[in-house]
Amino acid sequence: MNIPEKKAGVCQTVVREQGEKRADYNAPRALRVPDADGGVRLDLGLARLWPRHSRSRLQGWIRAGRVRVDGEIVSAPRHKLRGGEFVEVDEAPDERAAAARAEAITLNVVYRDAALIVIDKPAGLVTHPGSGNWSGTLQNALLHYDPPLERVPRAGIVHRLDKDTSGLMVVARTLEAQTDLVRQLQARGVKRHYYALARGNVERDGTVDAPIGRHPTQRTKMAVIGKGKPARTHYRVVERFVDCTLVECALETGRTHQIRVHLASIGHPLAGDPVYGGGASRVPAGPPFPRQALHARRLGLTHPVTGEPMLWKSELPEDMRELIAGARQRASEDRAAAEEKDADQESEDTPAIIYAHGGDSDDGDDDFA
């Protein structure tokens, strides 16, 4: 779905104007706090004065000493404003975006305009640099594909997919678009639907509403824990096979490993999941697969500039298509074998038919007393 040229031209003008404003990106700007904001927290007041920045980004800048109130550095986001003060924000670029290098990595771009890029991420591609993955990531690829993204924190990335999860992701090309998309995510306005192959027989559709947090002893894992962040996943049975079930999952929240953790918590970890499938010995192992069988199939959002509702769909990658085709073939063979067995059993259980011929009757009619 492309934005009409007229709208796209408007978006492009905004980008050029924003580029002009960013010529001295690090220069602090002073704005007066409205009298009506007297008594509000500093981070909230800044979010009202600089709406193109998210509140969490402003909180980070406050703690880093990048905010001055009437010339004095204030490092507490909870600081109460009086109203009438002059505040300055040193809008420094995100350190991680500044440190990332552009790398020539092929991307499957399914949509692009002046505000957005939508990509279909392959399995095996890490979203952004981190411990053990400081290069070869989606962020590195984006900086090569669209160099101006170096001016946007995290190269415009607003949500992530696990390394071995494939599918649709949206990237913001401007700071304003990024802030708007983050707010849509927080307000649960971004619709994300996944196809997942779960181990075992998922009997019915349902919802998992369980908080997720860092595993108390295995720090590289997430888990359902009472003190975790709220998390909700809806799932719908699409097709059942011999030892696994194809389900469609819709996210209300976006916690780390959410679908993998939630399905494992109800006894149906994903086929091929090396992290969350180990403790499910009572569930069929499912078909072998070298990664978790999870694909971000649909992505819906409101365009941050035009306000137009937008929706993208992605076909399953080849490895998952082959996986599901194999599961479907085994299910078909299993049904055929079961039907043949039932037919054999029925023939064995059918009583023999004995034909009795009457003695004196010539017409074949039976006589009843």
Side-chain angles (χ1 to χ4, degrees), residues 215-250:
H215 193 286
T217 59
Q218 303 176 54
R219 305 305 293 172
T220 58
K221 295 177 60 175
M222 308 301 287
V224 171
I225 57 175
K227 295 183 179 180
K229 295 181 179 179
R232 180 177 293 176
T233 304
H234 305 283
Y235 60 92
R236 177 182 66 87
V237 174
V238 177
E239 189 173 357
R240 294 186 180 88
F241 307 113
V242 176
D243 55 359
C244 54
T245 307
L246 180 63
V247 295
E248 182 178 31
C249 299

Side-chain angles (χ1 to χ4, degrees), residues 188 209-212 228-232 253-255 258 262:
R188 303 179 182 179
D209 190 350
I212 291 177
K229 295 181 179 179
R232 180 177 293 176
T253 53
R255 308 305 175 201
Q258 179 171 318
H262 270 172

Side-chain angles (χ1 to χ4, degrees), residues 149-166:
L149 285 174
E150 67 181 0
R151 296 195 294 263
V152 186
R154 298 177 299 282
I157 295 171
V158 296
H159 66 114
R160 63 185 293 272
L161 293 178
D162 296 336
K163 174 184 176 182
D164 290 327
T165 297
S166 55

Side-chain angles (χ1 to χ4, degrees), residues 23-350:
D24 188 9
Y25 190 77
N26 294 320
R29 296 174 55 200
L31 294 178
R32 182 181 180 278
V33 177
D35 294 337
D37 280 353
V40 306
R41 289 169 48 123
L42 175 60
D43 56 352
L44 178 57
L46 293 183
R48 293 173 178 175
L49 289 170
W50 281 272
R52 69 195 186 102
H53 295 305
S54 66
R55 191 170 173 182
S56 61
R57 182 183 300 142
L58 291 165
Q59 288 173 343
W61 287 345
I62 294 170
R63 295 189 182 100
R66 296 190 178 278
V67 175
R68 294 176 181 270
V69 180
D70 284 340
E72 299 292 330
I73 293 176
V74 177
S75 57
R78 294 177 178 272
H79 173 82
K80 291 296 179 65
L81 295 169
R82 300 186 314 274
E85 305 101 313
F86 282 90
V87 292
E88 300 173 63
V89 176
D90 180 5
E91 302 180 61
D94 183 271
E95 293 180 357
R96 288 173 294 183
R101 295 179 292 107
E103 297 182 38
I105 300 171
T106 301
L107 290 176
N108 182 12
V109 177
V110 299
Y111 177 85
R112 169 175 168 164
D113 66 20
L116 301 177
I117 298 172
V118 177
I119 66 162
D120 200 339
K121 186 186 88 67
L125 181 63
V126 176
T127 299
H128 48 67
S131 179
N133 295 286
W134 294 107
S135 63
T137 70
L138 171 62
Q139 180 169 323
N140 300 117
L142 286 168
L143 290 171
H144 180 270
Y145 172 77
D146 190 10
L149 285 174
E150 67 181 0
R151 296 195 294 263
V152 186
R154 298 177 299 282
I157 295 171
V158 296
H159 66 114
R160 63 185 293 272
L161 293 178
D162 296 336
K163 174 184 176 182
D164 290 327
T165 297
S166 55
L168 295 170
M169 293 182 63
V170 62
V171 176
R173 297 189 70 197
T174 68
L175 193 58
E176 293 81 3
Q178 186 182 50
T179 300
D180 183 89
L181 291 172
V182 168
R183 288 172 179 165
Q184 287 190 49
L185 284 163
Q186 292 171 342
R188 303 179 182 179
V190 177
K191 306 303 179 184
R192 291 166 290 168
H193 293 251
Y194 296 70
Y195 261 10
L197 195 67
R199 289 166 48 187
N201 179 22
V202 180
E203 295 183 355
R204 61 181 66 87
D205 303 346
T207 297
V208 183
D209 190 350
I212 291 177
R214 189 69 59 182
H215 193 286
T217 59
Q218 303 176 54
R219 305 305 293 172
T220 58
K221 295 177 60 175
M222 308 301 287
V224 171
I225 57 175
K227 295 183 179 180
K229 295 181 179 179
R232 180 177 293 176
T233 304
H234 305 283
Y235 60 92
R236 177 182 66 87
V237 174
V238 177
E239 189 173 357
R240 294 186 180 88
F241 307 113
V242 176
D243 55 359
C244 54
T245 307
L246 180 63
V247 295
E248 182 178 31
C249 299
L251 297 182
E252 274 198 30
T253 53
R255 308 305 175 201
T256 301
H257 301 173
Q258 179 171 318
I259 292 174
R260 299 165 65 189
V261 172
H262 270 172
L263 290 185
S265 74
I266 61 172
H268 296 288
L270 300 187
D273 195 329
V275 178
Y276 299 102
S281 57
R282 298 181 180 180
V283 184
F289 199 55
R291 64 179 179 96
Q292 65 264 11
L294 185 62
H295 177 71
R297 181 170 173 264
R298 289 200 300 163
L299 174 67
L301 52 85
T302 300
H303 194 280
V305 176
T306 67
E308 177 186 4
M310 309 192 77
L311 176 67
W312 297 271
K313 296 181 180 180
S314 167
E315 296 295 330
L316 286 170
E318 183 177 359
D319 61 349
M320 278 193 69
R321 289 200 305 269
E322 293 177 353
L323 175 70
I324 292 170
R328 187 175 290 125
Q329 178 64 28
R330 287 190 298 274
S332 177
E333 293 172 353
D334 188 74
R335 285 193 298 270
E339 290 171 0
E340 183 178 352
K341 182 178 179 181
D342 290 343
D344 292 343
Q345 185 66 41
E346 183 178 349
S347 64
E348 293 176 1
D349 295 340
T350 301

